Each structure stands twice: as C-alpha cells, then as structure tokens.
Amino acid sequence: MRTFGKKANPTRRARLTAAVLVVVAIPSGFAVAQDRATYNLFGTPGLLDMPSAASAPDAELAATISHMATATRTTLSFQITPRFSGSFRYSGIQNFFAATGAEVFDRSFDLQYRFVDEGRLRPAVAFGLRDFLGTGLYSAEYIVATKNVAPGLTVTGGLGWGRLGSFNGFDNPLAVFNDGLRNRPSDFGFGGNPEFDQWFRGDAAFFGGLAWKATNRLTLKAEYSSDAYPRETQRINPTFNRKSPWNLGLSYEANDSVAVQVAYMYGDQLGFGVTLKTNPKQPTVIGGLAPQPLAITPRAPGAARDLGWTQQANGQAILRDNVKLFLSQDGMTFEAMEVAPQAVTLHFRPGRFGNQAQAVGRAARILARTMPASVENFTLVPVVRGTPMAAVTLRRSDLEALETEPDNSWLSYGRATVSDAAKSLDGATYDAALYPKFRWALAPYITASYFDPDSPIRADVGAALSAEWDLAPGIMLAGRVQKRFAGNRDDATIFAPSGLQRVRSDSNIYAREGDPALTNLTLSWYDRPGTNVYSRVTVGYLEPMFGGISGEMLWKPVDSRLALGAEINYVQQRDFDQQFGFRDYQTATGHLSAYYAFGNGFQGTVDAGRYLAGDWGASFALDRTFANGWSIGAYATFTNVSAEDFGEGSFDKGLRFTIPLEAVVGTPSSRRSNSVIRSLARDGGAKLDVSGRLYNLVKDSHQPELKRDWGGFWR
C-alpha cells in the first residue's frame, strides 16, 4: 500500500470522520440561495487547492491561469449542464525531473457531477475525477459536500483518493466492497487513456474548508488539504517545502468577468491566479445594433379582393425590383421569386444574418411592405450556396395581427409551417445579376498549433486572399492564397515515425515550405436530388495537405432531430510547398455519419469509417449550441491504431469552439470564428478537412435550430 505523509491513527481518524459528518449535516434555517461559485488554483469551482460541490452557472466558460511553487496551470472549465462540468488543464512544471532539472508540460482533463442539490438541511454533494485522461500527474478522485450554514458562509468537506488521498491517508473505506480497492496502481502513465483501474483505489483522506463572502465581491477562504504533493516534495531537491496542510486565501471579483485569487499555500508558498469568465447564454452586447426592421402596415378592409395588379404588363418585374431593393438595404440578397395572385415564394440569401429566423422575419416584413394586398401567403426559402433549405410559410394576416402582441414570437411560430424546399425553385425567376458573380476578400489570418513538447503554443500570422465565383445556382469555384509574415509553426517538433503514413505529423514542413501557399482551390456542386436529400461534390485542392474529389449525401427531414450522411473521398497528398504538385501517397477515405439533436442545444455526432492514414474507426462528438450562435464541444476518435503506434496522447481528441461575430459586437453578421484545440496533431484518426460539409449548412434552417432561434423573428 502506498502512503505519503503520516498514517492517521484510529482516534484521529474518528475525530476527522465525525467532523466531516457534522459539516455535511448541519441544519440551517437560512434560505438555500447558494452564492456564486468561485474558482480555485486548479481552475475549477472550489476552495484554494481543494474542490467543492458548488457549481458555476449553467454554460459558464472560465479560463484560469495560476501559479504556485514551480507549477503554472492554465485551465479551461465549462459548466456543461447545471450539474455537470468539465475542465481541460495544461500545466508547466519547472525542475520536475530531479536528475536533470528539466521542465515538464502536462495535459489533464477533469469531470465533476453534482448528484445531490443543496436543501434546507442537506448539503450539495458531488463526485469528481481530476486528471482522469492525462498522464496521471494530478490524478485524483473525490466525493465532496458543500453547505451554506449562514448568510455568506459555506462549509465544505470531502473524501479524496489518489493525490487527494496522499496526506494523512487511511485504508480505503470502499475496500469493504472489494478488497482490490486497497491498492492503487502506478498513476503516472503514457497519457490519453482513462486509467479505470486506478479510480477510487488506494488510501483515502479527508479534506475540507470554509468560504466566507465578506462583501459582494470578496470571498475569504481557509482549507485543510489532503494533497501531500509527493512528487514535488519527496525528492533530493524538492520544488517547495510543504510545511502545513492549511491554506489561507481570498478570491476577489473585479467584475462579473474577472476574478483574482491570492493564497498562502502549505506554509511555504504564495499562490495566485486570474480567472476570466463569460457565459454564451448571456448576450455579450445588451440589445442589438441592427437597423430597425420595416413596420407592417395592415391592409385596408376589402383590399385583398383587388386583383387588378395581375393585369399590369410589367407588374411582376416591378415587384421583383422592389423586393430586391429592400433585401439589399437590409444586407440580404434576392435569389428568385414566384408570385401568384394570393401567394408568393421568395428565395433569398440571409447574407449578414446568422440567425435564420431573424432573416426569415425580416424578409416577411419586406413582402408585407411590397406585395399587393391580395397576396396572403408568404413562403420564404433561405438559400445557402445556391441550395434551397427549408420553406417557411406564413399568413400575412397573422403578421398584421401579431406584430404588437406581447408574445408575438411564439404565437407566430405556432402559426408558421415549415416544409421541405427541394422543388421550390422550379418555375422561379432568378435575378440575372447573380450568375456568374465574382467576390474576393483580403484579410489577416492566424493559424495556431498546441502542445508541442518544446513550446506549448505555436502560431503563424499573415494575410490571406480568398475568392469565390458563383458560376450557376449551386456551382461555385473557390480558392485561397496566404502569405505568412511571422510565426514559428515551422519549428515544431518532428515526431518519431510510427507504423502509420505521415498524413498530419508533417505539418511543420508544410508550414515551413508553404510560403506563400495555395491552401485550397475547389469546384463545388451543391444540389437537392430529392425530398429531404442534399448532395455535394467537391473537386480540386481540398485542403493544405490533400487534393482530389469528395462526394457527400445527407438525409435530413426539416422536422427531424436525426440526420444521416455518407461521404466518400479519393485524395492524394500534396507537395509540401502547397503549390500545384502532389506526392506519391494516395488513399480512399470516407464515413457514414449520424447526427442527433438531443435538445437544450446539445448535438451528438458519430462518424464511422476509414481515415487518411488507412485506419478504421469512429469519431464521437458532443456540442452545445446556444441561441446567440456560440457553440462549445468536444470530440474523440478511436481507430484500430494502438496507443503505442498513435504516440503521445493515445488517440485523437480535442475541444472545439464557434464564436459568432454578432455575439461579440452586436451587429448582425453571419461570420463565425471556428477553433479546435486538439491534444496533438498525429496521424491516427485524421479526417479530411474539406470545407462546406452539408450538415452544418442545412441544420440552422431546420428544426430544432429554427425553433431555438425564433426569438429573433421580430428583431
């Protein structure tokens, strides 16, 4: 049995057990309005080093950088649901290796679930896993309870294993169920795989503490730590001297977005940290900076019976010109329109509006302003890359009646009809100025890579010239050339060869020799082969490292949470200089995909098939998307490549973020910043990075996303 520090004697153990039981069972007559959670030096809700059962507000995203002794930790925490949180941490520890004094960089993941809510008499109770998917440097498990015992005063007590069971530890109480839980295997591993055989094993120890909210912004904290810091202290040249298990500190919230932590740790060290917080559920900019939409003018009684306009020779052309003008003034683009005496179908590009419901609402107002009084039914079809999405049909009389109603958004949603738009362009008259149409843009770019063993973050910055040429509806030629001005991605570490084809691990060579680089040059064709079916064919230089042909089909009914897709690609590896040449390696790759919207913004994705290096397996992803366009998610890919062949990290995994420009500046915009933070760019589980995949183009115009965004219909 491994122990660090002194073994607790039975009498002391009994006193500690009684103390914890008293802490978690103190009755309280005060209301259970729990204070806002504060973050600890590990970047998770807690005391100073120890966790608590408190949770951050639902969807809060927090980034913490902290330092204590020789360790600097950068942690990203996300409150995935009101009860469930996850954290990713990247730590740099100086003088980690006693023999050489070398620094180590360590990646770790945490999870915590609160399974009991705080009540009048009972505490909140949670269990957690710390560093459950890393090398095990900070590996620990715990059960913790937190209770408000007086206004502003909370008490926390818990039982920890692993690192949190290393000081004054005692025999694992869970061993009464399984004697194998008495001993804990070595917890410093290769990294990447969950070490199930370590969880809740070995010695256990108590921890706890107090937090007092002295003012609205200042919280004072005291804790008893059960972490002996064995690797840092039990060596010839310890990185710090752990003199005491007691820590004292404070957390000060400068505002709702910034908090500072300062602490005196273990009787020897000063620890400090800064936490930056945001919440995708909350608007970054209060209100909006979009121009006011057109007001709806009710028709005069009996005006709807007047069909005289249908006899006007140029009436249809005048209506098209008026709609085109108003759409252009509102940042949208007229695509096609078909007008009948009592109905109109308008195809339009949402343009600057990332919220599809808002774009539909504004287009409906334009039709109410421009259509003759007899036109009662409006069918609005957003068009993306020349492809009609869902058709939203509204009654004009409903718009007139509901514009000023208090709950007009949901009343209008209840009266709207959403249907498939596969054949909606048949017979429509296109705007002749749309095809062919050339567009270009020159903008700065930044490309980052993470977790190189010699440098945690590498990045290149430069300028990119991009262009698109709409040749015909659904057919587009696109390309991008970039020139680097500064950066260090070309100096990244070259990983040792594995048994796999090098399809991603040569990224440093592509960065060095591809300057300037033709990152992509493609001809794409998007179509609607049938009801509920979408298709894409893309040929050319598909991404910086591969070129070839990519084909995709998607089945997605407008009212379904489920979508199914299939993609097949035949590609060849490009030359390192990213000009027009190719290397010898060719491969076929493809996947069958399933997408499911679980509700509350959660979207699950499974892709199963063959990857670029010839390995077979599946990718699993879970994303949460909010009404303002923010999206936060995680993915993991498992293939028939062993952890040893894959290399450090064991399998491909990462976090991904989408931040809409509109949510930051308040001005309507369809532009989004997409970022992926992956463990390491290795060759196993590598997927082709072709742009314009169908599901992301289609889903925002379908259910449940359209319903989620309908609050913007009248904006």
Side-chain angles (χ1 to χ4, degrees), residues 327 332-336 346-350 359-360 363 380-383:
L327 284 171
M332 297 181 284
T333 302
F334 178 96
E335 181 89 11
L346 171 65
H347 290 77
F348 68 101
R349 301 178 188 175
V360 168
L380 302 115
V381 185
V383 175

Side-chain angles (χ1 to χ4, degrees), residues 1-2 141 161 171-186 195-203:
M1 182 188 336
R2 291 186 308 108
E141 306 82 48
W161 291 261
D171 288 342
N172 190 347
L174 299 180
V176 299
F177 303 107
N178 183 343
D179 194 63
L181 297 176
R182 293 184 183 277
N183 299 311
R184 188 180 185 93
S186 173
E195 302 292 344
F196 300 108
D197 62 343
Q198 297 175 4
W199 293 358
F200 298 98
R201 293 175 180 265
D203 288 354

